[in-house]
Amino acid sequence: MNRLVLAAQVVERGALRYTPAGLPALDLVLDHRSQVSEDGQPRQVAMQLKAVAIGAITRPLGALTLGSPAQFAGFLAASRNGRGLVFHLTDVHTPDDPAAPV
């Protein structure tokens, strides 16, 4: 299974573009910060992750204010150049949204 759910903030958002198939696409950078437990010890986690949204999800993502917290869901895939990973977004929910991704 390849499924990721991450609480983060959009810190960078590219201009809306279109795929060769004519689908809208947005390139984003997400910032995540949290505290987790590793081997019984607290650990601070901070990271930035490249993300892409394709299709109808670009509309709510385009409306998000930079820096606003949200919960993102999707899957990980290799980047086009084969270096690193890209989080492909399939769902997004803000704190005031009653439904949360599962």
Side-chain angles (χ1 to χ4, degrees):
M1 170 164 293
N2 181 353
R3 176 111 172 116
L4 177 64
V5 177
L6 186 70
Q9 301 174 348
V10 176
V11 292
E12 291 180 32
R13 179 176 38 230
L16 184 66
R17 61 182 175 83
Y18 291 87
T19 68
L23 296 170
L26 269 178
D27 294 307
L28 307 148
V29 176
L30 304 179
D31 184 71
H32 168 84
R33 297 176 188 280
S34 65
Q35 181 173 312
V36 296
S37 177
E38 184 174 41
D39 196 27
Q41 299 297 315
R43 177 176 177 178
Q44 296 294 322
V45 176
M47 66 176 172
Q48 288 195 340
L49 183 62
K50 290 181 182 180
V52 65
I54 298 174
I57 187 127
T58 58
R59 178 166 280 155
L61 286 169
L64 272 180
T65 304
L66 290 180
S68 296
Q71 190 173 38
F72 302 89
F75 60 92
L76 295 173
S79 64
R80 282 185 274 167
N81 65 12
R83 294 182 157 199
L85 297 172
V86 176
F87 185 14
H88 286 253
L89 303 175
T90 59
D91 205 0
V92 60
H93 293 279
T94 57
D96 57 329
D97 188 346
V102 259

